[in-house]
Amino acid sequence: MRWSQLFVPTLRDAPNDAVAPSHQLLVRGGFMRQLHAGHYSMLPMGWRVHQKVAGIVREEIEALGGQEFLLPTMHPASIWQESGRWDTMGEIMFRLNDRKGAELALGITHEEIFATVASELSSYKQLPQVWYHIQTKFRDEARPKSGLLRVREFHMKDSYSFDVDDAGLDVAFDNHDRAYRRIFERIGVPAFGVEASSGAMGGNDSVEFMTPSDAGEDDVVRCPSCDYSANIEKATSTLPPIDDGSATELEQFDTPGVRTIAALEAFDGGAAADRQLKTLVMMLDGTITLVVVRGDHQLNTQKLADATGAIEIRPAEVDETFGALNAHPGSLGAVNVADHPIIMDSSLEGRVNMTTGANIDDKHYRGVSVERDITVGQWADLREVGAGEACPNCGTAMIIVRCIEIGHIFKLGTKYAETFGVKVSTPDDGEVPVVMGSYGIGIGRNMAAAVEANHDENGIIWPVSIAPFEAVVTIMRLDDETLAAGQTIYDDLKAAGVDVLIDDRDARAGVKFADAELIGIPFRITLGPRGLKEGKAELTGRHSGETEEVGLETVAAVVAERVAAAKR
RNA sequence: CGGGAUGUGGCGCAGGUUGGUAGCGCACCUGCUUUGGGAGCAGGGGGUCGUGAGUUCAAAUCUCACCAUCCCGACCA
């Protein structure tokens, strides 16, 4: 490819509204342009990278036996109504009507559709199956952001496994776990797996793959000394024991003007935060619910969602709270509350001599024994782990790392199989629902993650495996002799299977060097009159930043070998 | 959805308070000179100033409404 004819609109300045490095560099490098929020046009350079990432994903999924499909992205409402997700998915799903008025949805994922196809499976002898496609997903995100990291329209490889039993699912799950780790390794994205909430997927076990980045949106709790790591939506920690003394009588006392945990700590006759109960009044799908955590703990709403299955969760308004408890925030508590559900954080089990609001403004209780004085409807892990808390496995102080979620694998069980009638006969002439798993990896997000992990002040440093071009032959002077020499090297590289670009633009050296570095081509072969006289080319590595002189006749072979080595 | 900010050629910005011919840098076109790290000089092309209404003789500028985009949070596979 001749650079002079290639559409690569590089920019000297990043657009003002791009903040994340990958966003800035992918726009500056002419890889993509924004159409509107969350929708990007892939330009030729961007699409080349995208295709290479997708190709690596395809190879690894094929290697574990995956069969490639292509399912529609526009779906009838009925299929989503059958699974119940027409309602539970809420606003994330784009919905539209056709000319007949029929309701349609744009696919956010494809469990339902693959399950429909899978209903033609009939015998255990056909299993296991792993099916996948690489297809556009549409999600009406509340806040698209950071370039390709969070968009409303993107390509995802999603695969689905079908097994006769849980043991089979475990195999498919482990195969995907290994394949995903190989994918991240090959595309140059440092990754690790974490325990995760399954959220709206409805599965019972899932692993998220994370790469550390300030541009990410997830917090991961990690132990520096053992291998514990979990999404903060799922993470736990070991709390130091607290001596409550022995249980005493429940006693109401006046606390004029005390509205906060901190104020009650400072109040004469109050209590330390870890001896207080924090009562949060939440609306769970329209039901007033009391959620109780320790005074110095924070509620994690995803944990609450996972524990209750609630879809819509929000704090109750002050008037709703007053209507339910006859008191205002600052004096709320769960003691003697009988007519509202109460969910209690597990860490409060067995606690006595606690202090909490009395549901009378300016009054609190002390001497609260949790089990004795509160009608707990449900115990659940609700608190959010903080940095420095002890690892549940080994007790080491843990850290919190900001991460990008780059893949997620789920054990789904038989939920979709039962809904869509995916059943197979068994050797003993029985019939069982098929056990499913689903496995997702966003192509564009991984492309952006690769940039986040591989760039410097001059631009992107693509791993050879996904670089838009593996090498560029930079012609320093557009005379016949230099062009001919460049063309020969270009042809040799082409013949050796290298993705090579020849920079034949009538531009100054600085422009060519800067562009090649910005768009991150791994190897640059520079041909100028100086070296040409001595029969030499210069070979510069984008990654190493180092330049060496190589003979004109051997440089193509040297580069071809290095490219091949990098891809091994 | 709450908070904050911004919309002026492809990109980055000034102009706005005090209404009066729409400007600068980069990019683009032509010519000359230059040519190993984003060249110089000269000439040139390109803009519904986010949209709509209003005030005014006159609106990029003032008023109102709306839209869009970005950031933080909420939310989110």
Side-chain angles (χ1 to χ4, degrees):
Chain A
M1 188 72 213
R2 299 184 165 277
W3 198 320
S4 59
Q5 293 308 116
L6 184 66
F7 184 65
V8 200
T10 55
L11 302 173
R12 194 178 290 213
D13 304 305
N16 182 36
D17 51 15
V19 174
S22 62
H23 185 188
Q24 293 185 344
L25 291 171
L26 288 170
V27 174
R28 276 190 62 205
F31 293 85
M32 65 183 195
R33 288 293 183 264
Q34 182 179 47
L35 177 62
H36 64 139
H39 301 264
Y40 284 86
S41 301
M42 280 294 151
L43 276 35
M45 297 291 281
W47 186 238
R48 290 181 74 94
V49 176
H50 196 282
Q51 294 273 61
K52 289 194 177 190
V53 173
I56 288 171
V57 171
R58 181 177 284 113
E59 281 177 24
E60 293 297 340
I61 301 303
E62 293 279 337
L64 62 77
Q67 304 169 62
E68 186 164 9
F69 288 58
L70 186 63
L71 271 44
T73 197
M74 194 181 289
H75 310 156
S78 56
I79 195 165
W80 288 91
Q81 286 158 347
E82 270 187 80
S83 68
R85 295 209 286 183
W86 181 257
D87 295 321
T88 59
M89 279 301 175
E91 295 188 309
I92 198 78
M93 188 181 258
F94 281 105
R95 297 158 205 255
L96 66 156
N97 295 290
D98 69 12
R99 63 202 300 160
K100 294 177 292 189
E103 288 184 296
L104 302 166
L106 298 181
I108 53 179
T109 177
H110 281 78
E111 280 77 12
E112 281 82 351
I113 322 302
F114 267 103
T116 303
V117 176
S119 64
E120 290 193 46
L121 291 168
S122 50
S123 165
Y124 75 95
K125 294 175 185 170
Q126 295 171 289
L127 303 184
Q129 293 281 323
V130 175
W131 298 354
Y132 78 101
H133 66 173
I134 299 173
Q135 174 63 296
T136 308
K137 307 293 188 230
F138 294 92
R139 295 182 188 179
D140 192 358
E141 298 288 350
R143 183 150 98 85
K145 57 174 288 203
S146 304
L148 291 187
L149 287 175
R150 181 161 219 86
V151 288
R152 304 204 301 175
E153 175 179 353
F154 60 99
H155 288 232
M156 182 163 92
K157 185 289 297 174
D158 40 326
S159 40
Y160 302 86
S161 63
F162 304 90
D163 285 277
V164 72
D165 55 21
D166 286 342
L169 171 61
D170 289 346
V171 171
F173 190 86
D174 290 346
N175 284 344
H176 276 88
D177 186 295
R178 279 193 295 276
Y180 273 37
R181 290 174 199 272
R182 277 193 298 271
I183 289 166
F184 301 130
E185 169 89 30
R186 289 181 63 183
I187 67 173
V189 175
F192 59 93
V194 306
E195 292 177 29
S197 159
S198 297
M201 297 300 297
N204 42 27
D205 199 0
S206 83
V207 170
E208 280 175 338
F209 292 94
M210 294 288 187
T211 189
S213 166
D214 291 338
E217 303 180 83
D218 284 274
D219 286 317
V220 172
V221 180
R222 302 197 75 178
C223 174
S225 61
C226 75
D227 62 354
Y228 180 81
S229 59
N231 193 303
I232 200 156
E233 296 173 348
K234 179 98 173 187
T236 61
S237 64
T238 303
L239 295 172
I242 293 175
D243 182 9
D244 285 334
S246 51
T248 56
E249 291 291 300
L250 186 66
E251 178 194 350
Q252 197 178 94
F253 63 108
D254 290 330
T255 49
V258 172
R259 292 282 177 276
T260 62
I261 300 285
L264 189 56
E265 268 194 296
F267 184 77
D268 191 24
D274 60 10
R275 307 289 311 279
Q276 298 185 39
L277 300 176
K278 185 194 289 187
T279 307
L280 303 160
V281 183
M282 308 290 288
M283 293 295 273
L284 302 189
D285 294 332
T287 301
I288 289 254
T289 305
L290 274 56
V291 180
V292 185
V293 297
R294 206 170 83 181
D296 57 336
H297 287 161
Q298 298 297 319
L299 170 70
N300 181 290
T301 49
Q302 185 61 46
K303 286 187 171 183
L304 181 61
D306 288 346
T308 60
I311 295 155
E312 194 196 324
I313 295 181
R314 63 171 175 85
E317 306 286 347
V318 171
D319 54 342
E320 291 170 333
T321 300
F322 191 83
L325 298 177
N326 274 312
H328 291 98
S331 303
L332 302 176
V335 173
N336 292 330
V337 171
D339 37 6
H340 301 290
I342 297 171
I343 305 176
M344 182 82 52
D345 182 62
S346 315
S347 69
L348 295 167
E349 221 164 328
R351 298 294 303 277
V352 299
N353 278 330
M354 302 294 281
T355 299
T356 190
N359 289 334
I360 302 168
D361 285 349
D362 295 325
K363 287 186 191 300
H364 280 75
Y365 283 120
R366 63 167 72 98
V368 178
S369 292
V370 172
E371 279 96 333
R372 182 191 69 194
D373 300 323
I374 298 176
T375 312
V376 177
Q378 184 181 359
W379 293 91
D381 174 30
L382 301 172
R383 73 185 168 86
E384 186 161 293
V385 171
E389 291 182 15
C391 171
N393 290 348
C394 71
T396 307
M398 297 191 291
I399 55 172
I400 296 182
V401 185
R402 194 74 165 164
C403 287
I404 301 169
E405 180 192 340
I406 48 175
H408 202 162
I409 58 179
F410 300 86
K411 292 185 181 176
L412 294 175
T414 57
K415 170 184 151 89
Y416 295 97
E418 282 166 13
T419 301
F420 292 99
V422 188
K423 294 169 292 195
V424 292
S425 52
T426 54
D428 54 4
D429 200 28
E431 191 179 62
V432 293
V434 162
V435 186
M436 286 176 63
S438 86
Y439 316 88
I441 181 168
I443 306 299
R445 182 181 283 186
N446 274 274
M447 172 176 162
V451 178
E452 293 289 338
N454 301 284
H455 68 270
D456 63 14
E457 64 280 4
N458 294 322
I460 302 172
I461 308 172
W462 289 114
V464 172
S465 58
I466 59 172
F469 289 94
E470 292 157 344
V472 56
V473 179
T474 302
I475 308 295
M476 296 304 296
R477 187 174 294 189
L478 297 179
D479 55 40
D480 292 347
E481 191 189 359
T482 317
L483 270 172
Q487 187 67 43
T488 301
I489 293 168
Y490 174 85
D491 291 341
D492 289 350
L493 283 166
K494 267 287 205 222
V498 174
D499 256 339
V500 59
L501 183 61
I502 184 164
D503 191 351
D504 60 340
R505 292 176 300 169
D506 182 14
R508 302 178 73 81
V511 173
K512 294 188 175 198
F513 294 158
D515 275 347
E517 282 155 12
L518 173 63
I519 69 177
I521 299 178
F523 297 101
R524 187 182 82 217
I525 298 159
T526 309
L527 281 183
R530 267 190 343 221
L532 214 53
K533 256 181 258 168
E534 301 161 29
K536 301 261 169 119
E538 285 161 35
L539 174 55
T540 306
R542 178 67 179 97
H543 191 83
S544 68
E546 287 166 14
T547 297
E548 59 200 292
E549 292 202 330
V550 182
L552 281 180
E553 63 290 343
T554 55
V555 66
V558 168
V559 170
E561 169 51 27
R562 290 193 192 171
V563 166
K567 289 200 282 190
R568 273 198 285 272

